[in-house]
Amino acid sequence: MAVRQHFQARQNDITLAVFPKSGTTWLKALAFSILHRQHYTPSQNHPLLTSNPHTLVPFLGKAFLDQDLTSNIAHSPRLFSTHTPYHALPPSIKSFAIGCRIVYLCRNPYDTFISAWHFFTKARPDNLEPLSLNDAFDMYCRGVFAYGPFWDHVLGYWKESLERPQKFLFLTYEDLKDNPILHMKRLAEFMGVPFSVEEEKEGLIEEISRLCSINNLRELDVNKTGKTGSLLVNKTLFRKGEVGDWVNSLTPEMVERLDKIIKEKMDGFGLTFKTSL
Ligand code: A3P
């Protein structure tokens, strides 16, 4: 509420908006590395080698409450992230007059759920009963989830991105996995820092892609042993990073139930999900 009331967006701010467990960490790594590539090259002393992506690109609420919007994101444009649904964003971020940019990263609802279940199972305090897959799935299907139901979150940003395509970049986790170079180029252009022909020839996009890959980030000391803030254990952020892992956990009945809900809630808006590559 404090952030909504008091945060003042600037025209060149860039917000990375993501439903939890849809690839926030990856998007932060990519956006930070692309935006600040003049300052940091992937091979030498890059901040990602010693800092978790969530430290480099803070969540808006935390940055605002810590009054960290200038120190932590000193560069212009300011880059921060949010899990907040579109309707609940601070009005100045949504303001047509200010017109700051939003990158939304969407992931298919099946992998998102499985990723969340693994994450919340690990993060669950020891004094609570373990959360069974069945119970967690039932809650997800009823829309009981951090930051609200999956379908409301995705559709909120999707509809707005159709209205104002010049201010929104709508990416999917699956497309990024399938063709990272193409979508990193789109991201760079959208952020106002397109890759030059020389950079492309030198293989800089591939280098950044490798730096930000799950296999690289997962093996760094900061992500093996570090924490972000007092609660977030960095290693819990890097699991498989695949498209289609849900087939290993969801039963046909679960898939049928979620299929039906997604159809009911999301049909007719022109949005489809890739559930395998
Ligand atoms: P899985 O649990 O399916 O492996 P978030 O960053 O929003 O919390 O999302 C977490 C999901 O993104 C996890 O998915 C995690 O493994 C995956 N992930 C983390 N870093 C990644 C990266 N660099 N590239 C691709 N996926 C990544």
Side-chain angles (χ1 to χ4, degrees):
M1 284 166 71
V3 177
R4 266 186 86 174
Q5 268 183 352
H6 300 292
F7 175 72
Q8 265 312 314
R10 296 186 199 147
Q11 197 194 2
N12 64 354
D13 283 346
I14 301 172
T15 306
L16 309 178
V18 193
F19 188 71
K21 309 320 290 175
S22 299
T24 324
T25 316
W26 190 18
L27 181 62
K28 287 185 181 194
L30 289 170
F32 179 91
S33 308
I34 293 172
L35 193 62
H36 300 309
R37 65 187 187 276
Q38 303 298 347
H39 299 100
Y40 312 114
T41 53
S43 46
Q44 291 165 351
N45 298 330
H46 195 284
L48 270 177
L49 300 174
T50 48
S51 301
N52 180 267
H54 291 280
T55 309
L56 300 175
V57 182
F59 282 100
L60 172 61
K62 177 156 180 14
F64 180 74
L65 295 173
D66 292 353
Q67 288 303 308
D68 203 10
L69 280 176
T70 46
S71 62
N72 208 354
I73 355 178
H75 306 280
S76 181
R78 300 186 300 181
L79 180 65
F80 42 74
S81 75
T82 186
H83 286 321
T84 303
Y86 185 76
H87 70 85
L89 285 179
S92 65
I93 294 189
K94 296 193 284 184
S95 149
F96 278 49
I98 298 173
C100 53
R101 286 160 293 174
I102 297 181
V103 180
Y104 189 75
L105 180 64
C106 168
R107 189 180 195 189
N108 79 64
Y110 313 91
D111 281 325
T112 302
F113 166 71
I114 289 300
S115 180
W117 183 68
H118 282 287
F119 178 78
F120 289 122
T121 297
K122 277 183 213 136
R124 203 166 166 84
D126 291 340
N127 58 341
L128 294 180
E129 288 274 295
L131 185 61
S132 74
L133 183 69
N134 276 337
D135 289 349
F137 185 74
D138 183 58
M139 286 164 73
Y140 187 68
C141 288
R142 289 186 288 115
V144 182
F145 196 85
Y147 299 93
F150 171 89
W151 40 92
D152 285 350
H153 202 280
V154 174
L155 280 181
Y157 283 95
W158 172 248
K159 287 183 197 163
E160 207 55 34
S161 75
L162 298 177
E163 296 276 315
R164 294 198 284 159
Q166 68 288 4
K167 293 293 175 192
F168 275 83
L169 180 66
F170 198 95
L171 297 172
T172 72
Y173 184 95
E174 294 77 21
D175 286 347
L176 259 178
K177 276 303 255 193
D178 190 33
N179 193 341
I181 304 301
L182 174 73
H183 297 287
M184 285 169 67
K185 282 196 212 171
R186 292 180 63 212
L187 180 58
E189 256 173 54
F190 180 76
M191 293 196 294
V193 288
F195 287 103
S196 66
V197 177
E198 290 72 37
E199 286 178 321
E200 276 198 48
K201 273 194 200 146
E202 285 163 9
L204 182 62
I205 315 181
E206 284 81 358
E207 251 189 276
I208 294 178
S209 176
R210 268 195 300 278
L211 172 72
C212 300
S213 68
I214 189 164
N215 289 340
N216 185 53
L217 294 183
R218 184 199 277 124
E219 294 309 317
L220 299 172
D221 275 351
V222 61
N223 296 325
K224 273 183 171 169
T225 57
K227 270 188 167 186
T228 303
S230 55
L231 291 177
L232 186 61
V233 177
N234 291 346
K235 71 174 178 203
T236 59
L237 294 165
F238 306 94
R239 199 180 62 94
K240 290 190 175 177
E242 290 170 1
V243 178
D245 180 48
W246 59 271
V247 294
N248 299 314
S249 310
L250 295 182
T251 63
E253 292 74 29
M254 287 169 152
V255 175
E256 194 184 329
R257 179 175 174 195
L258 189 52
D259 268 350
K260 216 169 136 202
I261 295 170
I262 294 297
K263 204 166 174 347
E264 195 181 290
K265 304 279 185 189
M266 303 187 87
D267 244 18
F269 293 101
L271 186 61
T272 52
F273 299 105
K274 280 187 199 157
T275 52
S276 62
L277 282 186

